Amino acid sequence: MILRQILRLSSIFRSAVSIHLRRNIGLSAVVFNKTKELDPVQKLFLDKIREYNTKSKQAGGPVDAGPEFQKDMNESLARLQRAYGEGDLTKFPEFKFEEPNFEETPK
């Protein structure tokens, strides 16, 4: 009887550990990926992303965008402002929510 309970508890423990390890495999893959050397294609991809990031920070916007891009962007913004009214269309709108009034009104 006691042996059965011990075996049952050990199998429950094994399954719990197994589930825990399967759930955390994504985290362990990231940790192991940082410790080992990347393959050449991944390294090239990451280098290009980092290079683009530094260029975009220096340029303050899209990289290698010529005057045609800026002209198209200004025309699109002007068209949207005519259609939807004034305001800065390059920023996300701010929403203001008022608290509802939950007081009972007399009938």
Side-chain angles (χ1 to χ4, degrees), residues 76-89:
S76 297
L77 286 175
R79 187 174 60 244
L80 288 171
Q81 283 182 336
R82 283 192 306 269
Y84 295 108
E86 296 298 316
D88 188 9
L89 298 177

Side-chain angles (χ1 to χ4, degrees), residues 11-43:
S11 66
I12 292 173
F13 179 72
R14 263 187 278 130
S15 66
V17 168
S18 171
I19 290 171
H20 184 70
L21 289 176
R22 276 186 272 150
R23 287 183 183 168
N24 292 325
I25 191 102
L27 179 63
S28 62
V30 171
V31 170
F32 288 129
N33 220 4
K34 287 184 179 180
T35 60
K36 70 175 189 173
E37 189 64 33
L38 297 174
D39 69 62
V41 175
Q42 287 177 334
K43 185 170 180 353

Side-chain angles (χ1 to χ4, degrees), residues 73-74 77 81 87-93:
M73 178 81 155
N74 291 338
L77 286 175
Q81 283 182 336
D88 188 9
L89 298 177
T90 60
K91 293 184 180 177
F92 193 77

Side-chain angles (χ1 to χ4, degrees), residues 48-94:
K48 289 295 181 181
I49 289 176
R50 290 179 183 131
E51 178 184 340
Y52 183 85
N53 188 22
T54 56
K55 283 183 179 179
S56 67
K57 285 181 181 177
Q58 290 173 353
V63 176
D64 299 334
E68 294 177 7
F69 173 79
Q70 193 62 34
K71 180 184 169 195
D72 291 342
M73 178 81 155
N74 291 338
E75 288 176 358
S76 297
L77 286 175
R79 187 174 60 244
L80 288 171
Q81 283 182 336
R82 283 192 306 269
Y84 295 108
E86 296 298 316
D88 188 9
L89 298 177
T90 60
K91 293 184 180 177
F92 193 77
E94 294 181 17

